[in-house]
């Protein structure tokens, strides 16, 4: 079966890290815009493990997941609802993945919290 960069990027964006982490370049760089920059596969793996740990007991529901792939670049646009016993959070995000062959070399992620009742809404006002 031929390598599918779109499937790998989508897996990463959907928190199915086991399907994607094997494709990280050793010197991958993940920029979470407005948040942090992770450098190296180990740092990315650790953050992914921490993410999964933080999601224990949480229902993760994707209202939207659109993948656009062309050449060595894939973009994944998502709206996801995180349902916990204490409430619901919704996040709209887009991640751009750059590949060199079958390896992810760069990830640039943008995310904003949105009204969980209206995933297309602007971020809710801060109290």
């Amino acid at each position: 079966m031929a390598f599918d960069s779109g499937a790998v990027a989508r897996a990463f964006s959907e928190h199915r890290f086991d399907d994607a982490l094997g494709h990280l370049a050793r010197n991958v760089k993940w920029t979470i815009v407005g948040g942090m920059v992770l450098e190296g596969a180990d740092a990315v793996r650790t953050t992914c493990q921490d993410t999964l740990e933080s999601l224990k007991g949480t229902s993760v529901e994707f209202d939207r997941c659109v993948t656009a792939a062309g050449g060595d670049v894939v973009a994944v646009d998502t709206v996801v609802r995180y349902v916990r016993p204490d409430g619901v959070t919704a996040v709209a995000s887009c991640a751009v993945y750059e590949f060199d062959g079958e390896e992810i070399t760069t990830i640039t992620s943008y995310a904003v919290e949105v009204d969980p009742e209206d995933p297309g809404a602007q971020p809710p006002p801060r109290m």
Side-chain angles (χ1 to χ4, degrees):
M1 180 184 257
F3 174 72
D4 184 346
S5 60
V8 171
R10 184 177 181 131
F12 193 98
S13 286
E14 291 180 336
H15 311 315
R16 292 183 291 112
F17 299 122
D18 286 344
D19 295 337
L21 292 179
H23 294 281
L24 293 177
R26 187 174 50 81
N27 61 343
V28 63
K29 181 177 179 182
W30 182 9
T31 302
I32 302 168
V33 176
M36 66 180 132
V37 176
L38 301 166
E39 295 194 36
D42 289 341
V44 172
R45 281 188 188 93
T46 297
T47 298
C48 292
Q49 291 168 349
D50 291 348
T51 297
L52 291 177
E53 186 67 30
S54 75
L55 292 175
K56 285 186 178 176
T58 301
S59 171
V60 180
E61 304 168 359
F62 283 87
D63 293 333
R64 173 182 173 84
C65 189
V66 176
T67 303
D72 292 333
V73 179
V74 177
V76 182
D77 173 31
T78 61
V79 176
V80 62
R81 296 164 53 89
Y82 299 98
V83 182
R84 294 181 171 91
D86 63 345
V88 178
T89 302
V91 176
S93 67
C94 184
V96 178
Y97 300 84
E98 297 175 49
F99 286 81
D100 182 4
E102 295 185 9
E103 291 187 327
I104 301 169
T105 58
T106 305
I107 306 167
T108 306
S109 301
Y110 305 85
V112 63
E113 189 173 330
V114 296
D115 180 344
E117 299 306 315
D118 182 6
Q122 294 295 317
R126 296 209 180 255
M127 301 280 171

